[in-house]
Protein backbone atom coordinates (compact mmCIF):
# COMPACT_ATOMS: atom_id res chain seq x y z
CA UNK A 1 0.00 0.00 0.00
CA UNK A 2 1.43 3.38 -0.94
CA UNK A 3 1.93 6.07 1.65
CA UNK A 4 -0.45 9.02 1.56
CA UNK A 5 1.14 12.44 2.17
CA UNK A 6 0.35 13.82 5.60
CA UNK A 7 0.72 17.38 4.35
CA UNK A 8 -0.44 18.91 1.11
CA UNK A 9 2.60 19.89 -1.02
CA UNK A 10 1.41 23.49 -1.17
CA UNK A 11 1.72 23.68 2.63
CA UNK A 12 5.33 22.52 2.82
CA UNK A 13 6.70 26.08 2.57
CA UNK A 14 3.83 27.75 4.38
CA UNK A 15 4.70 30.17 7.13
CA UNK A 16 3.13 29.16 10.44
CA UNK A 17 1.53 32.00 12.33
CA UNK A 18 -0.11 31.80 15.71
CA UNK A 19 -3.74 32.76 15.81
CA UNK A 20 -4.46 35.61 18.18
CA UNK A 21 -8.22 35.81 18.64
CA UNK A 22 -9.50 39.36 18.88
CA UNK A 23 -10.94 40.49 22.15
CA UNK A 24 -14.66 40.13 21.78
CA UNK A 25 -17.75 40.81 23.82
CA UNK A 26 -19.36 37.78 22.20
CA UNK A 27 -17.28 34.82 23.34
CA UNK A 28 -18.52 31.82 21.34
CA UNK A 29 -17.56 28.70 23.29
CA UNK A 30 -18.66 25.80 21.08
CA UNK A 31 -21.30 24.66 18.64
CA UNK A 32 -24.51 24.02 20.56
CA UNK A 33 -26.43 22.04 17.94
CA UNK A 34 -26.78 21.54 14.23
CA UNK A 35 -30.07 22.00 12.40
CA UNK A 36 -30.69 19.68 9.46
CA UNK A 37 -33.75 20.09 7.24
CA UNK A 38 -35.40 16.81 6.24
CA UNK A 39 -38.48 15.82 4.26
CA UNK A 40 -39.73 12.64 5.98
CA UNK A 41 -39.83 12.38 9.76
CA UNK A 42 -39.64 8.61 10.26
CA UNK A 43 -37.13 8.01 7.49
CA UNK A 44 -34.81 10.64 9.03
CA UNK A 45 -35.28 9.23 12.56
CA UNK A 46 -34.48 5.72 11.34
CA UNK A 47 -31.33 6.91 9.57
CA UNK A 48 -29.96 9.03 12.41
CA UNK A 49 -30.69 6.17 14.84
CA UNK A 50 -28.16 4.15 12.82
CA UNK A 51 -25.61 6.82 13.76
CA UNK A 52 -26.51 6.59 17.46
CA UNK A 53 -28.97 9.49 17.76
CA UNK A 54 -32.33 9.29 19.50
CA UNK A 55 -35.16 11.71 20.17
CA UNK A 56 -34.49 13.82 23.25
CA UNK A 57 -37.32 16.31 22.75
CA UNK A 58 -40.27 16.70 20.44
CA UNK A 59 -42.28 19.90 20.60
CA UNK A 60 -45.83 20.50 19.38
CA UNK A 61 -45.34 24.15 18.35
CA UNK A 62 -42.69 23.65 15.64
CA UNK A 63 -41.54 21.04 13.10
CA UNK A 64 -38.36 20.31 15.09
CA UNK A 65 -37.13 17.07 16.61
CA UNK A 66 -34.19 17.37 19.00
CA UNK A 67 -31.89 14.33 18.77
CA UNK A 68 -28.89 13.51 20.94
CA UNK A 69 -26.30 10.76 20.98
CA UNK A 70 -24.50 9.19 23.94
CA UNK A 71 -21.80 11.90 23.82
CA UNK A 72 -24.38 14.71 24.00
CA UNK A 73 -24.03 15.82 20.37
CA UNK A 74 -27.32 17.52 19.46
CA UNK A 75 -29.00 17.58 16.09
CA UNK A 76 -32.24 19.41 15.40
CA UNK A 77 -34.15 17.77 12.58
CA UNK A 78 -36.34 20.38 10.93
CA UNK A 79 -39.10 18.30 9.38
CA UNK A 80 -40.52 20.65 6.77
CA UNK A 81 -38.28 20.10 3.75
CA UNK A 82 -39.67 19.89 0.23
CA UNK A 83 -37.71 18.02 -2.44
CA UNK A 84 -37.82 20.22 -5.53
CA UNK A 85 -34.61 18.89 -7.12
CA UNK A 86 -35.36 15.18 -7.46
CA UNK A 87 -33.23 14.03 -4.50
CA UNK A 88 -30.30 16.33 -5.31
CA UNK A 89 -28.63 18.62 -2.78
CA UNK A 90 -28.65 22.21 -4.06
CA UNK A 91 -25.33 22.93 -2.31
CA UNK A 92 -23.48 19.86 -3.54
CA UNK A 93 -25.15 18.39 -6.61
CA UNK A 94 -25.79 21.29 -8.97
CA UNK A 95 -23.23 23.05 -11.13
CA UNK A 96 -23.94 26.54 -9.78
CA UNK A 97 -22.45 26.91 -6.31
CA UNK A 98 -24.95 28.36 -3.84
CA UNK A 99 -23.86 29.77 -0.46
CA UNK A 100 -24.63 27.69 2.59
CA UNK A 101 -23.29 25.00 4.88
CA UNK A 102 -22.17 22.15 2.63
CA UNK A 103 -21.67 19.45 5.25
CA UNK A 104 -21.38 18.55 8.92
CA UNK A 105 -18.23 16.82 10.19
CA UNK A 106 -18.28 14.59 13.26
CA UNK A 107 -15.07 13.68 15.09
CA UNK A 108 -14.63 9.94 15.63
CA UNK A 109 -11.93 7.83 17.26
CA UNK A 110 -11.51 5.00 14.75
CA UNK A 111 -12.27 5.69 11.09
CA UNK A 112 -11.80 2.05 10.07
CA UNK A 113 -14.35 0.86 12.63
CA UNK A 114 -16.77 3.57 11.46
CA UNK A 115 -16.28 2.53 7.85
CA UNK A 116 -17.10 -1.08 8.74
CA UNK A 117 -20.16 0.04 10.73
CA UNK A 118 -21.50 2.24 7.91
CA UNK A 119 -21.01 -0.59 5.42
CA UNK A 120 -22.68 -3.14 7.71
CA UNK A 121 -25.67 -0.82 8.09
CA UNK A 122 -25.97 -0.37 4.31
CA UNK A 123 -24.98 3.31 4.34
CA UNK A 124 -23.21 4.20 1.11
CA UNK A 125 -19.86 5.96 1.54
CA UNK A 126 -19.76 8.58 -1.21
CA UNK A 127 -16.09 9.52 -0.76
CA UNK A 128 -13.22 8.20 1.29
CA UNK A 129 -11.30 7.32 3.13
CA UNK A 130 -9.40 10.46 2.19
CA UNK A 131 -6.56 12.45 3.71
CA UNK A 132 -6.37 16.24 3.51
CA UNK A 133 -2.66 16.37 4.27
CA UNK A 134 -3.34 17.70 7.75
CA UNK A 135 -3.07 14.50 9.78
CA UNK A 136 -6.76 13.57 9.49
CA UNK A 137 -8.73 11.01 7.51
CA UNK A 138 -12.37 11.38 6.49
CA UNK A 139 -15.35 9.48 5.12
CA UNK A 140 -18.29 11.22 3.45
CA UNK A 141 -21.84 9.92 3.11
CA UNK A 142 -25.38 11.25 2.70
CA UNK A 143 -28.52 11.07 4.75
CA UNK A 144 -31.79 10.13 2.96
CA UNK A 145 -32.35 13.81 2.05
CA UNK A 146 -28.87 14.04 0.50
CA UNK A 147 -27.43 16.17 3.33
CA UNK A 148 -23.68 15.50 3.33
CA UNK A 149 -22.12 14.11 6.51
CA UNK A 150 -18.44 13.54 7.28
CA UNK A 151 -16.75 11.33 9.84
CA UNK A 152 -13.23 12.59 10.64
CA UNK A 153 -10.46 11.02 12.67
CA UNK A 154 -6.91 12.04 13.52
CA UNK A 155 -4.36 9.69 11.97
CA UNK A 156 -2.09 7.94 14.43
CA UNK A 157 1.60 7.58 13.46
CA UNK A 158 1.92 4.91 10.74
CA UNK A 159 -1.85 4.43 10.48
CA UNK A 160 -2.06 5.79 6.92
CA UNK A 161 -0.43 2.56 5.70
CA UNK A 162 -3.12 0.46 7.41
CA UNK A 163 -6.26 2.16 6.11
CA UNK A 164 -7.42 0.30 3.01
CA UNK A 165 -8.06 2.53 0.01
CA UNK A 166 -6.82 5.75 1.66
CA UNK A 167 -6.14 8.45 -0.92
CA UNK A 168 -5.53 12.18 -1.00
CA UNK A 169 -8.73 14.22 -1.15
CA UNK A 170 -10.00 15.14 -4.61
CA UNK A 171 -12.49 18.04 -4.46
CA UNK A 172 -14.17 16.73 -7.60
CA UNK A 173 -15.11 13.53 -5.79
Amino acid sequence: MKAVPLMHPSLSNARVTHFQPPTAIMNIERIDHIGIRVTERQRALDFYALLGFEVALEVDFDAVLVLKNAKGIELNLIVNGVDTLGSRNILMDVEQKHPGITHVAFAVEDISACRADLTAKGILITQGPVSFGDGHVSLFFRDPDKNTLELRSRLKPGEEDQIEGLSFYDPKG
Side-chain angles (χ1 to χ4, degrees), residues 13-76:
N13 293 323
R15 199 173 111 220
V16 176
T17 59
H18 296 287
F19 176 70
Q20 276 299 96
T23 305
I25 295 171
M26 183 183 347
N27 185 19
I28 296 173
E29 298 174 351
R30 63 183 177 83
I31 294 174
D32 183 75
H33 67 273
I34 299 162
I36 301 174
R37 189 172 315 278
V38 299
T39 58
E40 294 181 32
R41 178 187 189 281
Q42 194 58 51
R43 182 178 73 170
L45 287 174
D46 292 346
F47 177 83
Y48 284 96
L50 295 173
L51 304 180
F53 289 91
E54 56 187 44
V55 176
L57 177 65
E58 185 170 358
V59 298
D60 59 3
F61 58 85
D62 200 0
V64 175
L65 295 164
V66 177
L67 308 183
K68 289 191 178 182
N69 73 357
K71 296 284 189 177
I73 305 296
E74 183 178 319
L75 301 178
N76 290 359

Side-chain angles (χ1 to χ4, degrees), residues 40-142:
E40 294 181 32
R41 178 187 189 281
Q42 194 58 51
R43 182 178 73 170
L45 287 174
D46 292 346
F47 177 83
Y48 284 96
L50 295 173
L51 304 180
F53 289 91
E54 56 187 44
V55 176
L57 177 65
E58 185 170 358
V59 298
D60 59 3
F61 58 85
D62 200 0
V64 175
L65 295 164
V66 177
L67 308 183
K68 289 191 178 182
N69 73 357
K71 296 284 189 177
I73 305 296
E74 183 178 319
L75 301 178
N76 290 359
L77 296 184
I78 298 99
V79 189
N80 62 7
V82 177
D83 181 6
T84 60
L85 294 174
S87 295
R88 292 186 310 155
N89 178 319
I90 195 163
L91 296 176
M92 301 297 286
D93 301 330
V94 298
E95 189 173 331
Q96 185 179 17
K97 299 303 175 196
H98 297 266
I101 297 172
T102 60
H103 67 284
V104 175
F106 298 106
V108 297
E109 181 68 28
D110 184 339
I111 203 75
S112 294
C114 289
R115 181 184 193 183
D117 192 43
L118 290 173
T119 301
K121 291 174 177 173
I123 298 172
L124 176 68
I125 297 169
T126 57
Q127 189 175 23
V130 294
S131 166
F132 291 88
D134 64 353
H136 290 89
V137 61
S138 295
L139 297 171
F140 293 87
F141 58 102
R142 303 282 185 102

Side-chain angles (χ1 to χ4, degrees), residues 7-17:
M7 181 180 291
H8 190 275
S10 68
L11 298 176
S12 62
N13 293 323
R15 199 173 111 220
V16 176
T17 59

Side-chain angles (χ1 to χ4, degrees), residues 141-160:
F141 58 102
R142 303 282 185 102
D143 78 358
D145 289 290
K146 302 303 181 212
N147 294 302
T148 303
L149 305 171
E150 175 184 356
L151 299 180
R152 182 172 165 97
S153 178
R154 176 156 289 289
L155 283 167
K156 296 167 189 74
E159 186 180 21
E160 65 272 6

